Amino acid sequence: MISVKDLTYSYGKDKQALHGLNFTVEDGEIFGFLGPNGSGKSTTQKILTGILKGHGGVVSLFGKDIRHSDSQELCRKIGVLFEFPYLYANLSALDNLHYFSSFYPKEQLRDAEELLDKLEFKRDFLKKPVSSYSKGMRQRVSMARALISNPRLLFLDEPTSGLDPAGAVLFRRIIEEERQKGTTVFLTTHNMLDADLLCDRVAFLSDGKIAALDTPGNLKEQNSGHSIRIACLCQGRREERTIEAEELKNGISFAYDEVISIHSQEPTLEDIFIRYTGRRLS
C-alpha cells in the first residue's frame, strides 16, 4: 500500500528534516509513526498525502510513484484526519460534510448523519455552527470528514486528541472496524496507548531518522529485563518480590501464604522509545 525508499526532505540549507527513511505499510495494516515534536512525523505525512512537494527518494502509494500519480485520483482513495480540525467554523457539521462530500463520486460516499451517529455526535448540534462545538465534538466531525468518502488509505494525526476516555475508546473501536473492512491506516501520534492497542507495527522516529521499527510486542520482548513482580501475603503481611522469569520454572522459591498478583516487568512503549532515542514523546 505504501512504499518509502530513501526519503529525504529539506526546508532549506542546513534544515534537513528527513534523512533517508525506509519503510513499507501493507494492505490492511495499522502502522504507527511515533515521535516527539520536530522529529519529522508531520513532514512525512504531508509528503505521503501529496501536500508537500520536492522530496528526495521514492514514495509509492497504491503501487505508483506519487510524483507520477493523478492527484485527483489519489485524493479520492485517501482520507485524512489532521491534528488540528480543518473545518469551516461558520458552517454546521452537516454543512461541512456535505461540502467535502461534493469532491467525491456519489456512489463512493457514506451517509453523513449515519456516520455522525456512529461517532456519537450530539444530534441537537447537527445544524449549529462548528464555532459552538467543543474540541471533542470538532474531532468527531473531523473524523467523519476523513471517513465520508470510504477511503482505502486513512491518514490519522492524533485521532484521540481532545477526547475523553470514552470517546478515545470509541475512536479506537472505529479505527479497528475500518481495518477489518480492509482499510489501511497510517497513524501518527504521541499517544503510546493508542499505538500499543491499535498498531500492527510501529516506527520510532527521531531527528528525521527511524530509530526502530517492529511490532509493539516484539519491541517489548526485545527490551524486557524478563523479571516478574510477585505480590503475596506472608504471616499476615503484604510483601513484594522481584524474580527472574526463569526462576518460575521451579516454582516460587520464597515463603508465602497467598499470592495476590503476578506481573511481568516489561517496559512500556514509551520506555522503549526513550531507550532508542534518548527523548520523551512530548
Side-chain angles (χ1 to χ4, degrees), residues 49-209:
T49 54
I51 296 172
L52 207 53
K53 309 292 185 182
H55 61 274
V58 179
V59 176
S60 299
L61 267 62
F62 306 101
K64 293 182 180 180
D65 188 326
I66 60 172
R67 288 193 181 99
H68 308 129
S69 297
D70 182 297
S71 58
Q72 280 193 338
E73 181 185 351
L74 185 63
C75 287
R76 287 174 181 166
K77 294 178 181 178
I78 68 174
V80 183
L81 172 66
F82 298 97
E83 180 178 3
F84 302 104
Y86 178 60
L87 302 166
Y88 291 100
N90 60 324
L91 298 180
S92 68
L94 284 177
D95 287 340
N96 267 279
L97 293 179
H98 290 154
Y99 173 71
F100 289 118
S101 294
S102 67
F103 297 105
Y104 302 94
K106 289 184 179 180
E107 63 273 12
Q108 186 178 330
L109 297 172
R110 297 171 71 166
D111 182 89
E113 286 197 45
E114 288 181 6
L115 192 50
L116 288 171
D117 282 343
K118 187 179 183 69
L119 289 159
E120 297 182 0
F121 185 83
K122 297 177 181 178
R123 292 195 65 84
D124 52 338
F125 278 84
L126 283 175
K127 296 184 180 180
K128 292 182 180 180
V130 167
S131 58
S132 66
Y133 297 173
S134 67
K135 186 174 182 182
M137 291 171 66
R138 294 182 188 211
Q139 193 73 350
R140 283 170 165 79
V141 181
S142 295
M143 177 63 98
R145 178 184 180 273
L147 296 174
I148 194 75
S149 62
N150 270 316
R152 289 176 55 196
L153 175 58
L154 192 56
F155 291 93
L156 302 178
D157 194 354
E158 303 294 350
T160 58
S161 174
L163 299 175
D164 60 22
V169 170
L170 170 67
F171 268 44
R172 286 195 288 267
R173 185 173 74 240
I174 288 172
I175 293 167
E176 179 59 38
E177 287 174 359
E178 287 300 308
R179 185 259 285 282
Q180 290 175 3
K181 288 167 46 181
T183 306
T184 304
V185 181
F186 187 88
L187 174 70
T188 55
T189 185
H190 288 96
N191 190 319
M192 282 297 189
L193 180 61
D194 286 348
D196 203 356
L197 292 176
L198 286 170
C199 295
D200 298 296
R201 292 184 301 147
V202 294
F204 291 160
L205 194 67
S206 179
D207 297 322
K209 299 176 183 178

Side-chain angles (χ1 to χ4, degrees), residues 190-246:
H190 288 96
N191 190 319
M192 282 297 189
L193 180 61
D194 286 348
D196 203 356
L197 292 176
L198 286 170
C199 295
D200 298 296
R201 292 184 301 147
V202 294
F204 291 160
L205 194 67
S206 179
D207 297 322
K209 299 176 183 178
I210 292 178
L213 197 166
D214 209 330
T215 68
N218 284 345
L219 287 169
K220 289 178 184 179
E221 289 175 11
Q222 292 162 11
N223 291 274
S224 174
H226 303 292
S227 59
I228 305 293
R229 189 74 172 171
I230 301 175
C232 62
L233 288 176
C234 184
Q235 296 181 351
R237 295 176 57 187
R238 189 181 192 280
E239 297 182 0
E240 290 192 1
R241 300 280 188 94
T242 300
I243 65 173
E244 295 302 309
E246 284 289 315

